[in-house]
């Protein structure tokens, strides 16, 4: 089996689905944001503020490369922007099974509007709904390169994990 990598916009449920999936598959779970926060000893928002986004993107690439090099299969949860820089999506598709958790922009907006503090990209946006729609549209060109595309609007995290598991066995037994 391969690593399974969850990608998708902020608020798409990657972390919650990742936990359910790692339990169902009995794989260890790694979350790039959490690893970077532990490595740097500060939250993502503080890293953006003091070191800048470019530095954060460099950390993401470094962590992803290390995780993909591990022989033990794992569930890897990416930050929303991780696959969109330095052609990381191609690296992920080469070394893992990638899963895009698609959530419609209205639902993302409802989830994210009360959860801005931890997410530096969403701060001080005069029209948050519009910003989310535009950034999602821009990033979907990358997200849609994933090997498994799932619309999760109507699914619970457990149902999403079960669907991923079913799609993984179809993919791996092709
Ligand atoms: C980001 C998403 C965040 C975090 C950082 C940047 C992005 O992760 O990596 O704030 O560029 O979309 P989540 O998707 O877990 O919120």
């Amino acid at each position: 089996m391969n690593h399974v990598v969850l990608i998708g916009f902020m608020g798409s449920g990657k972390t919650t689905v990742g936990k359910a999936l790692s339990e169902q598959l009995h794989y260890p779970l790694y979350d790039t944001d959490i690893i970077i926060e532990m490595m740097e000893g500060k939250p993502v928002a503080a890293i953006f503020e003091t070191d800048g986004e470019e530095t954060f993107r460099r950390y993401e690439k470094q962590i992803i490369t290390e995780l993909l090099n591990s022989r033990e299969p794992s569930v890897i949860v990416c930050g929303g922007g991780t696959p969109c820089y330095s052609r990381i999506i191609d690296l992920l598709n080469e070394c893992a099974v990638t899963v895009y958790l698609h959530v419609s922009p209205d639902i993302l907006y409802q989830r994210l509007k009360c959860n801005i503090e931890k997410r530096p990209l969403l701060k001080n946006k005069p029209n948050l709904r519009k910003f989310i729609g535009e950034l999602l549209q821009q990033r979907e060109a990358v997200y849609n390169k994933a090997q498994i595309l799932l619309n999760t609007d109507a699914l619970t995290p457990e149902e999403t994990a079960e669907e991923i598991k079913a799609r993984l066995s179809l993919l791996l037994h092709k």
Side-chain angles (χ1 to χ4, degrees), residues 68-98:
L68 292 175
N69 274 335
S70 157
R71 278 168 181 260
E72 187 190 12
S74 61
V75 172
I76 300 171
V77 171
C78 288
T82 315
C84 307
Y85 295 87
S86 313
R87 299 206 184 151
I88 290 179
I89 187 66
D90 297 331
L91 185 67
L92 295 175
N93 276 331
E94 263 169 44
C95 311
V97 179
T98 46

Side-chain angles (χ1 to χ4, degrees), residues 8-15 31-34 36-37 44-45 48 53 56-57 60 77-85 112 115 118-122 135 139 143:
F9 205 79
M10 295 168 268
S12 59
K14 300 179 295 288
T15 303
D31 184 315
T32 57
D33 280 346
I34 293 175
I36 293 172
E37 288 183 338
V44 169
F48 266 66
E53 181 174 351
F56 177 77
R57 299 299 174 197
E60 285 186 306
V77 171
C78 288
T82 315
C84 307
Y85 295 87
L112 290 168
N115 233 322
K118 284 187 188 164
R119 294 186 165 99
L121 288 185
L122 303 181
L135 187 59
R139 286 182 169 180
Y143 293 154

Side-chain angles (χ1 to χ4, degrees), residues 21 34 40-42 58 66 70 79 86 88 100 105 129 146:
L21 187 64
I34 293 175
E40 290 306 297
K42 53 190 174 192
R58 203 155 27 80
E66 282 170 21
S70 157
S86 313
I88 290 179
Y100 170 36
R129 169 65 186 79

Side-chain angles (χ1 to χ4, degrees), residues 28-170:
L29 175 70
Y30 297 106
D31 184 315
T32 57
D33 280 346
I34 293 175
I35 296 174
I36 293 172
E37 288 183 338
M38 278 167 40
M39 194 176 86
E40 290 306 297
K42 53 190 174 192
V44 169
I47 298 173
F48 266 66
E49 209 170 297
T50 53
D51 309 320
E53 181 174 351
E54 217 172 290
T55 304
F56 177 77
R57 299 299 174 197
R58 203 155 27 80
Y59 295 155
E60 285 186 306
K61 183 162 192 192
Q62 181 190 327
I63 299 299
I64 278 292
T65 309
E66 282 170 21
L67 290 174
L68 292 175
N69 274 335
S70 157
R71 278 168 181 260
E72 187 190 12
S74 61
V75 172
I76 300 171
V77 171
C78 288
T82 315
C84 307
Y85 295 87
S86 313
R87 299 206 184 151
I88 290 179
I89 187 66
D90 297 331
L91 185 67
L92 295 175
N93 276 331
E94 263 169 44
C95 311
V97 179
T98 46
V99 183
Y100 170 36
L101 303 184
H102 174 274
V103 177
S104 59
D106 283 326
I107 297 181
L108 288 174
Y109 171 65
Q110 292 306 325
R111 289 183 191 167
L112 290 168
K113 67 180 181 190
C114 323
N115 233 322
I116 291 175
E117 279 317 301
K118 284 187 188 164
R119 294 186 165 99
L121 288 185
L122 303 181
K123 277 187 192 163
N124 306 319
K125 295 291 175 282
N127 187 339
L128 183 63
R129 169 65 186 79
K130 186 161 173 266
F131 177 81
I132 289 171
E134 287 174 357
L135 187 59
L136 176 64
Q137 195 185 20
Q138 202 180 306
R139 286 182 169 180
E140 276 205 314
V142 172
Y143 293 154
N144 281 328
K145 287 186 177 177
Q147 291 144 19
I148 296 176
L149 309 177
L150 270 188
N151 187 336
T152 68
D153 279 354
L155 301 177
T156 65
E158 283 70 27
E159 288 167 342
T160 305
E162 272 162 30
E163 182 62 27
I164 294 171
K165 213 174 141 190
R167 300 273 290 270
L168 280 173
S169 67
L170 279 180

